[in-house]
Amino acid sequence: MNNKKSDVRKEISLKVGHNMKKTREGMQMTQAKVAEKVNALLPDATFDEKTLRRFELGQVSQKITTMYLIAHALGVSVDEFLSDEIEKMMK
């Protein structure tokens, strides 16, 4: 069962990352520009494009606070990243 939870988490991370990348590319922003905007929101932050790339590829799970900062930097709601998963759960 623990393996199944891990698989579900990985699938969600991949989908959220895909949506994050799709949103960023739709706004014609580079990963570096998004990282710069996230760091401007939190002066002590050390968020970089490598971290964003790992999120977008689903290599690491995003904390909701990190998703919020990225969404804010892109000028969208966190719902943009989660909408597919929320719709899937409601079916």
Side-chain angles (χ1 to χ4, degrees), residues 14-44:
L14 285 168
K15 288 182 181 180
V16 168
H18 172 77
N19 290 343
M20 194 177 284
K21 181 178 181 178
K22 186 170 68 173
T23 302
R24 177 184 60 76
E25 288 177 339
M27 303 185 100
Q28 299 180 337
M29 290 181 69
T30 64
Q31 291 169 332
K33 185 64 176 174
V34 174
E36 179 184 314
K37 287 183 164 225
V38 168
N39 286 324
L41 294 169
L42 293 174
D44 294 335

Side-chain angles (χ1 to χ4, degrees), residues 2-66:
N2 204 13
N3 221 5
K4 186 170 180 154
K5 277 186 183 179
S6 178
D7 290 346
V8 170
R9 285 186 189 134
K10 179 69 176 171
E11 183 180 335
I12 290 171
S13 289
L14 285 168
K15 288 182 181 180
V16 168
H18 172 77
N19 290 343
M20 194 177 284
K21 181 178 181 178
K22 186 170 68 173
T23 302
R24 177 184 60 76
E25 288 177 339
M27 303 185 100
Q28 299 180 337
M29 290 181 69
T30 64
Q31 291 169 332
K33 185 64 176 174
V34 174
E36 179 184 314
K37 287 183 164 225
V38 168
N39 286 324
L41 294 169
L42 293 174
D44 294 335
T46 55
F47 192 84
D48 61 12
E49 59 191 284
K50 182 179 177 182
T51 303
L52 181 58
R53 185 177 322 115
R54 292 180 71 210
F55 286 155
E56 289 181 352
L57 293 173
Q59 294 175 342
V60 292
S61 296
Q62 307 88 349
K63 293 181 181 177
I64 191 70
T65 52
T66 305

